[in-house]
């Protein structure tokens, strides 16, 4: 059974930083692209970033380019999202995602950016 467990969310002031982690079990982690999504209140879920299986390629939403960095450690079956220079509009629940034979989601971790 695939499980994705996010951690690292919290309350941070504008301009601050957080690092999210997603620990994965139940599939061959190093064989799959990993994705981070987010869903802000009253908005649709959006893709924030993804990283290919070996970590050689990454891609970011325009709204986070230059501020967020996705990375992975295939020895730890974990994907990370380093978020710097956080803005009010980054407030959302952040979800880890992988598509194997089906679409798998974690339960999410809440990031609140507020002064």
């Amino acid at each position: 059974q695939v499980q994705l467990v996010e951690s690292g969310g919290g309350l941070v002031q504008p301009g601050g930083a957080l690092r999210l982690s997603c620990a994965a079990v139940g599939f061959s982690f190093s064989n799959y692209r990993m994705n981070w999504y987010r869903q802000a209140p009253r908005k649709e879920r959006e893709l924030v970033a993804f990283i290919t299986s070996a970590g050689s390629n990454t891609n970011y939403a325009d709204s986070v380019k230059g501020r967020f960095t996705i990375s992975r450690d295939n020895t730890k079956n974990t994907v990370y999202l380093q978020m710097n220079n956080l803005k009010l509009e980054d407030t959302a629940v952040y979800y880890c995602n992988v598509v194997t034979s089906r679409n798998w989601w974690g339960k999410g971790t809440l990031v609140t950016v507020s002064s």
Side-chain angles (χ1 to χ4, degrees), residues 42-115:
R42 298 174 298 280
K43 291 191 175 181
E44 293 192 356
R45 195 170 294 191
E46 64 170 345
L47 179 63
V48 174
F50 70 78
I51 185 166
T52 53
S53 56
S56 54
N57 288 296
T58 58
N59 190 269
Y60 299 91
D62 287 344
S63 57
V64 307
K65 277 181 183 175
R67 300 187 298 121
F68 289 12
T69 303
I70 189 170
S71 63
R72 65 191 295 160
D73 186 338
N74 285 348
T75 67
K76 296 182 178 179
N77 287 5
T78 301
V79 60
Y80 305 97
L81 187 68
Q82 177 67 43
M83 306 186 296
N84 297 330
N85 190 21
L86 283 160
K87 303 179 179 181
L88 296 175
E89 53 265 37
D90 295 318
T91 295
V93 178
Y94 285 72
Y95 297 93
C96 184
N97 167 264
V98 65
V99 181
T100 59
S101 58
R102 54 158 278 191
N103 214 351
W104 298 94
W105 298 91
K107 293 184 178 180
T109 186
L110 176 63
V111 172
T112 303
V113 185
S114 175
S115 55

